[in-house]
Amino acid sequence: MAHGHSHGPVPEVAVGQRARTTLIGFLAVVGVIAVAAMIWLWPSSTELSSALQKVGDAPGVTYEDATINSVAIGCADAIDSAACKTANVTINDGAYAGETADVVLSGGSVNNGLRPGDIIEIARVPTGDGEVVYSFSGVHRLPVLIALAVMFVVAVVAVARLRGLLALVGLAAGAWILLGFMLPAVIVGKPGMAVALAGSTVIMFIVLYIAHGISLRTSAALAGTLLGLAVITGLGAISVEMARLSGFADENEYDLSQLAPAINFQDLLMVGIIIGGLGVLNDVTITQASAAWELRAAAPQWTRMQVFTAGMRIGRDHIASTIYTIVFAYAGSALTIILLLYFTARDTIALLGQEMFAGEVVRTFASAIGLILSVPLTTGIAAITVGPARTPDEEPKHSSAPSPA
C-alpha cells in the first residue's frame, strides 16, 4: 500500500448533522456488506486443500546449504562453455556436511554475481545407479531480506513515530486479508470481483482507521476511497470485457492454470486491477479530506463551495504527481515486457493490442481514472461534511474533534 500523510491533530471543525448521519450510515452499510461477503466467500480448509495440487520433488531429493569455494567459467558437457559456470562448494548441513561437490550454474544463475564465500542452496538428487547429482537450487538471500525489512520498520517508526507504527499494523492486517482470504478464495474458484471488492473494502476500513484515527475526516476519506474503488472496478470490468482479455499474459498463467484449474483468469486480472488501485487511492483521499478540514478550520466563514474549490486546487497538484507514480510503477513492474517492443518487426501500436501489453494498459488507465475521479468525490464529501459557513466568533454546534475529558 502506498504511503499516507500525517497531518497532526485534527482541527476542531463544525460538521453538518445531516452530512454526518449520511456519511456514517453509508459506511456502516458498506462495512456490514463487506464483512458479510467475506464470511460468505471465505473458503473452507477442505475447499482449499482439494483445490491445491502441491508440486513435490522426486523421492530422495533433499536440500542443503553450501558455501562456495570457487567459481570457474565453463562446465562439463556444455555446448557453449561460456554460457555456464561450475561452482565448487562445501555442504554445510545435513548428513553430508563437510563434503565437497561441483554444481553447475546456468541460465540466470550465471549472471547473479556468485563468488567464493557465498552461501547457496543445492539439491541433492540420487540417481538410479547409486550415484548422486548436485544441482543449484537458489541463493541464500534470507539475511538480506530480513535486514531490509528491519531497516524499513526502523525508518518508518523513526520518521513517522506512532503514526508509522500504526500504519505498519494496518499493513500487516491488510496482508493477512490478502493472503488469508482473497488469494485462497480465488484459488478455489470464488467470484473474483466479489472477493476483491469485499477484501479491499475491509482492508481500507482497517488501514485508514488504524493509521489515521477514527474521525469524520478519516470517514470522509474512506467514503471517497470506496467510491474511487467502485470506479476502478466498474471501468476495469467493462474494459476487460470489451477488450476480450483472457487473463493469460505469459507462461506463468498457463502454469498456474494446470495447478489450480478452478481459477478464473479474467477474475484474477480484475483482482489485480482492484488491489493495484488501493494504495494510491488511500494516499489521495486522506490528503483531500485533510485539506478540506484544514481549510474549514482556517476559514470558517467560507462557504462549502469555496472549501471545495480550494481543496480542488490542492487536489489537482496531487493528481499531477500521483499519475506519474501510477504510470512509472506499472512501467517498472512490466519493464521486461516493454523491452520486447524493441525486438519485433511489427508496428508498436499494433503490438499494444496483444494480451501482455493490453492487460497492463487497462490496469494502468483504470487505476488512473479511478484516482482522478476520487479527488473531486472525496473533496466534495469532505466539503459537505465540514458544515456550513459561520462567523469566526460563532461556536460550532457539532465538532469533529473529541471533547476534552
Side-chain angles (χ1 to χ4, degrees), residues 65 109 112 114 118-121 136-143:
D65 286 343
S109 60
N112 57 12
L114 289 173
D118 286 347
I119 298 176
I120 63 175
E121 183 183 66
F136 175 78
S137 176
V139 179
H140 197 265
R141 299 185 176 97
L142 194 57

Side-chain angles (χ1 to χ4, degrees), residues 39-375:
I39 295 173
W40 176 54
L41 294 168
W42 201 292
S44 66
S45 57
T46 302
E47 288 179 309
L48 186 58
S49 60
S50 63
L52 291 176
Q53 300 181 26
K54 297 287 187 178
V55 179
D57 295 306
V61 175
T62 59
Y63 294 88
E64 284 97 17
D65 286 343
T67 300
I68 296 179
N69 301 318
S70 63
V71 179
I73 297 176
C75 50
D77 303 325
I79 298 176
D80 183 3
S81 61
C84 68
K85 296 178 181 179
T86 300
N88 180 265
V89 303
T90 298
I91 300 174
N92 297 337
D93 53 11
Y96 306 94
E99 291 187 5
T100 60
D102 288 335
V103 177
V104 173
L105 306 176
S106 59
S109 60
V110 173
N111 302 310
N112 57 12
L114 289 173
R115 63 195 66 184
D118 286 347
I119 298 176
I120 63 175
E121 183 183 66
I122 59 174
R124 187 177 187 277
V125 184
T127 61
D129 56 3
E131 298 294 325
V132 173
V133 175
Y134 289 97
S135 63
F136 175 78
S137 176
V139 179
H140 197 265
R141 299 185 176 97
L142 194 57
V144 176
L145 301 181
I146 292 175
L148 283 174
V150 171
M151 290 170 62
F152 169 71
V153 172
V154 170
V156 169
V157 175
V159 176
R161 300 183 181 178
L162 179 59
R163 187 82 65 163
L165 181 61
L166 291 174
L168 290 174
V169 173
L171 181 63
W176 177 76
I177 292 174
L178 175 63
L179 300 177
F181 162 64
M182 297 172 71
L183 297 186
V186 170
I187 289 174
V188 303
K190 302 287 186 179
M193 197 177 304
V195 168
L197 280 175
S200 299
T201 299
V202 174
I203 287 174
M204 285 296 96
F205 268 86
I206 294 173
V207 168
L208 281 170
Y209 281 131
I210 287 180
H212 303 285
I214 298 176
S215 67
L216 284 181
R217 180 193 68 163
T218 306
S219 298
L222 177 57
T225 301
L226 297 178
L227 292 176
L229 195 62
V231 172
I232 292 175
T233 302
L235 186 60
I238 293 172
S239 300
V240 168
E241 176 63 27
M242 296 296 292
R244 301 295 190 265
L245 293 174
S246 66
F248 288 86
D250 55 36
E251 65 274 6
N252 290 325
E253 280 78 14
Y254 289 98
D255 292 341
L256 185 58
S257 68
Q258 300 302 312
L259 298 173
I263 293 179
N264 183 314
F265 282 83
Q266 279 189 322
D267 281 356
L268 185 60
L269 177 59
M270 279 303 307
V271 172
I273 292 173
I274 293 170
I275 294 174
L278 285 183
V280 181
L281 279 175
N282 171 22
D283 181 26
V284 170
T285 56
I286 196 65
T287 299
Q288 291 307 114
S290 296
W293 247 252
E294 297 291 344
L295 289 168
R296 168 56 81 221
Q301 74 279 6
W302 279 8
T303 65
R304 284 166 166 156
M305 181 55 69
Q306 287 176 306
V307 172
F308 174 80
T309 303
M312 282 302 299
R313 285 196 293 269
I314 298 171
R316 291 186 189 101
D317 287 338
H318 202 185
I319 286 173
S321 63
T322 311
I323 283 178
Y324 298 141
T325 302
I326 291 178
V327 173
F328 286 120
Y330 282 128
S333 64
L335 204 56
T336 302
I337 296 175
I338 295 173
L339 284 172
L340 293 176
L341 293 172
Y342 290 87
F343 298 94
T344 179
R346 292 191 62 188
D347 183 70
T348 300
I349 300 299
L351 283 176
L352 289 178
Q354 298 297 312
E355 180 94 21
M356 66 173 66
F357 301 109
E360 295 300 327
V361 171
V362 168
R363 193 191 312 270
T364 301
F365 283 126
S367 295
I369 293 170
L371 162 70
I372 293 168
L373 294 182
S374 71
V375 171

